Amino acid sequence: MTDRPVVTRFAPSPTGFLHIGSARTALFNWLFARHSGGKFLLRIEDTDRARSTPEATEAIFAGLKWLGLDWDGDAISQFDGAGRHAEVAHQMLENGKAFRCFSTQAEIESFRETARAEGKSTLYRSPWRDVPETDHPDAPFAIRVKAPREGKTVIQDHVQGDVTIRNDQLDDMIVLRSDGTPVYMLAVVVDDHDMGVTHIVRGDDHLNNAARQMLVYNAMGWDVPIWAHIPLIHGEDGKKLSKRHGSLGVEEWAAEGYPASGMRNYLARLGWGHGDDEFFTTEQAIDWFDLSGIKKSPARFDTKKLANLSGQHIACATDTEVLSGIQEYLTLSGQKSLTDSQVADMSRAMYCLKDRAKTYPELIEKAHFILTQRPLHRDEKTELLLDSVHIGMLRELTPQLQTGSWDRETLERNVQSLAEAHETKLGKLAGPIRAALAGRSVSPSIFDMMLVLGREETVQRLKDATA
Ligand code: GLU
């Protein structure tokens, strides 16, 4: 199996959004496929017709696209394969690996009730397993796969190690219901086999399923893929990740303005590692990713770490990448896109906006000075900085800025000597100047703002503030 080219898959059931845990599963499969030069396939497990709306499926596509996880070929619908799944069930029947079970729902229920009352195992053993066909009634039947009665089934898992299940704990699982519909457990195996999947990375909530899926592989004589069941993500308190811990859907994080590159980096670190590396690019992750780097203990979702990595990714991205990330964020959060002239202004200022912004909204806040227009609206806190003493100082500064060269050194010297003349510190002057130039307390340095705004606009803003 291992010498075949790697084929991984992501097989989400549409739930209306792309859960952060599913996104990580998708990422691991994608990274492994890209690392190995193999394929990453997408299968929508849409057999639950009530939940599988086009919108719910679209939400998965959108989440994956935002994260930059491109899949090979077209997404496959599990529901569409129902005919093929039934065909395999009948094949098992022909090969003697499965049998027709004529037990009715009522019979099975009554068996279970009695078993429960007597404190016995509720595992149903169909009496039809060994009944010859000549004795079969002309009645509806389900197809059940014959599970081994003795011995053990060992699941060799890349993360969990060998997981052993006693065969006497496995029932003869129904693979095809009496109405002709395949069960989920059959569909998964047939699809994975037909798609040529070599490696399955998924949440360890599916580990129990693996034992039952093994029955189908064995009955069909198919190669069992390499399994890697990864521990589920926990919240900061160590409990299973839930709404209480923050946003669960990838699209919510996107709408909050986290860059996709930061999210990819963070999700990769959730349960996988390459030495002590925290910050890395997607190219590096592809280069390094291996199943042996997956951790056995559950990772904890830590919003601060995500924010921290996100900030580093914004700082390292090209200006074009940041701007397109911002436009995407604005769309996803239902805000107006930047106009061409705002994009041009932001591009000029980008060198002093990119660092120390953890999210796009933080960066936009920092860019307020360039996105806003005179006369500036100042928030209350900033207005207080413009007291009469400081207004006096700014009035002195304005004419000095009208002459002389417009470079950082000269600007710094001007403000520095003004501070000295008033026996104060440059830092004390920065607040009022920031109030005049940006109207709020978050902005790049006053000199960066002056340089980006240019002489005329700077002088006008100072005059407005001191009028
Ligand atoms: N459809 C399953 C889920 O969304 C995944 C099944 C699998 O990976 O085998 O949890």
Side-chain angles (χ1 to χ4, degrees):
M1 166 121 294
T2 34
D3 44 15
R4 291 218 326 255
V6 166
V7 178
T8 67
R9 49 67 157 182
F10 174 48
S13 314
T15 49
F17 68 113
L18 182 60
H19 188 280
I20 206 90
S22 304
R24 180 192 57 164
T25 299
L27 176 67
F28 281 15
N29 282 288
W30 181 83
L31 284 172
F32 188 57
R34 296 293 172 257
H35 170 82
S36 324
K39 283 198 161 65
F40 169 66
L41 307 180
L42 176 60
R43 178 174 76 235
I44 307 296
E45 304 216 310
D46 52 357
T47 47
D48 177 348
R49 300 317 283 162
R51 298 185 97 181
S52 304
T53 60
E55 295 75 32
T57 303
E58 197 44 54
I60 292 170
F61 293 157
L64 290 175
K65 280 183 193 152
W66 177 75
L67 259 184
L69 307 184
D70 55 331
W71 55 96
D72 295 300
D74 290 334
I76 288 162
S77 150
Q78 184 158 69
F79 180 71
D80 285 352
R84 164 71 183 148
H85 305 146
E87 182 185 296
V88 170
H90 283 282
Q91 226 168 305
M92 288 197 273
L93 200 55
E94 274 158 38
N95 300 344
K97 303 289 186 188
F99 62 94
R100 293 182 177 84
C101 171
F102 296 89
S103 302
T104 63
Q105 203 53 47
E107 281 167 0
I108 300 171
E109 257 325 301
S110 113
F111 159 81
R112 292 223 168 99
E113 247 165 61
T114 316
R116 262 192 295 270
E118 292 173 359
K120 290 189 185 147
S121 161
T122 53
L123 214 64
Y124 184 67
R125 298 269 182 231
S126 168
W128 295 97
R129 179 163 156 141
D130 297 312
V131 176
E133 220 178 309
T134 41
D135 295 341
H136 284 179
D138 182 17
F141 59 87
I143 298 180
R144 287 181 184 266
V145 63
K146 288 182 185 164
R149 288 277 154 95
E150 280 150 25
K152 316 180 265 218
T153 297
V154 180
I155 298 159
Q156 291 174 319
D157 191 89
H158 226 81
V159 177
Q160 315 284 339
D162 283 357
V163 181
T164 307
I165 286 127
R166 273 174 33 208
N167 287 340
D168 61 9
Q169 293 180 343
L170 294 173
D171 65 348
D172 296 329
M173 170 177 81
I174 291 184
V175 284
L176 200 72
R177 299 184 190 92
S178 57
D179 65 1
T181 57
V183 302
Y184 169 71
M185 224 58 87
L186 171 70
V188 172
V189 175
V190 174
D191 288 345
D192 283 334
H193 170 264
D194 289 359
M195 288 159 74
V197 172
T198 59
H199 294 73
I200 295 179
V201 182
R202 62 185 177 191
D204 66 8
D205 50 334
H206 287 283
L207 190 58
N208 283 334
N209 292 346
R212 315 188 82 202
Q213 291 169 1
M214 192 94 137
L215 291 176
V216 179
Y217 282 106
N218 291 340
M220 291 304 291
W222 289 339
D223 281 342
V224 178
I226 290 170
W227 272 313
H229 286 93
I230 54 180
L232 299 185
I233 302 172
H234 286 183
E236 270 160 78
D237 54 4
K239 303 222 169 82
K240 202 184 143 199
L241 197 65
S242 76
K243 194 74 206 147
R244 273 180 309 116
H245 299 106
S247 302
L248 287 180
V250 160
E251 76 287 351
E252 290 177 72
W253 292 97
E256 285 167 38
Y258 288 83
S261 51
M263 184 55 94
R264 268 197 305 274
N265 184 164
Y266 183 63
L267 287 181
R269 281 293 291 116
L270 270 184
W272 174 83
H274 177 264
D276 292 332
D277 293 302
E278 287 291 340
F279 171 84
F280 43 79
T281 64
T282 303
E283 288 68 33
Q284 284 172 314
I286 290 175
D287 205 26
W288 298 335
F289 194 86
D290 204 338
L291 298 184
S292 55
I294 298 177
K295 306 263 176 5
K296 219 176 151 171
S297 52
R300 294 187 183 202
F301 195 89
D302 179 341
T303 310
K304 271 208 202 89
K305 270 196 191 161
L306 165 65
N308 196 295
L309 285 173
S310 293
Q312 293 184 60
H313 277 271
I314 291 180
C316 287
T318 65
D319 293 1
T320 317
E321 284 165 349
V322 174
L323 284 163
S324 81
I326 287 176
Q327 295 286 38
E328 191 179 16
Y329 151 69
L330 292 171
T331 310
L332 290 172
S333 57
Q335 302 179 65
K336 271 201 299 222
S337 306
L338 298 175
T339 62
D340 288 349
S341 84
Q342 285 177 321
V343 168
D345 287 339
M346 289 230 350
S347 301
R348 275 190 302 122
M350 196 54 87
Y351 79 94
C352 60
L353 298 175
K354 263 194 320 201
D355 60 330
R356 283 200 285 270
K358 292 192 174 73
T359 60
Y360 293 132
E362 275 186 32
L363 190 147
I364 291 171
E365 171 70 14
K366 235 173 133 184
H368 176 78
F369 80 98
I370 189 90
L371 295 173
T372 189
Q373 273 172 8
R374 295 181 45 234
L376 263 56
H377 169 79
R378 268 181 281 282
D379 59 32
E380 226 171 284
K381 208 171 108 201
T382 326
E383 194 67 55
L384 289 177
L385 294 168
L386 292 167
D387 55 22
S388 57
V389 177
H390 288 103
I391 285 182
M393 291 191 218
L394 296 195
R395 282 203 183 120
E396 273 177 56
L397 179 65
T398 314
Q400 291 172 16
L401 295 183
Q402 279 170 312
T403 54
S405 55
W406 196 257
D407 54 60
R408 187 181 299 269
E409 215 176 87
T410 316
L411 294 170
E412 279 180 10
R413 212 172 33 238
N414 280 335
V415 179
Q416 184 65 46
S417 39
L418 179 72
E420 276 163 21
H422 289 271
E423 293 179 353
T424 183
K425 293 217 167 64
L426 192 147
K428 287 250 159 34
L429 268 181
I433 297 178
R434 176 170 281 119
L437 299 183
R440 43 183 81 187
S441 43
V442 180
S443 81
S445 86
I446 54 169
F447 304 111
D448 281 323
M449 284 195 284
M450 289 179 183
L451 289 167
V452 171
L453 290 169
R455 190 198 306 270
E456 202 178 318
E457 181 70 17
T458 302
V459 167
Q460 284 305 334
R461 289 190 185 192
L462 285 170
K463 281 186 177 166
D464 287 350
T466 55

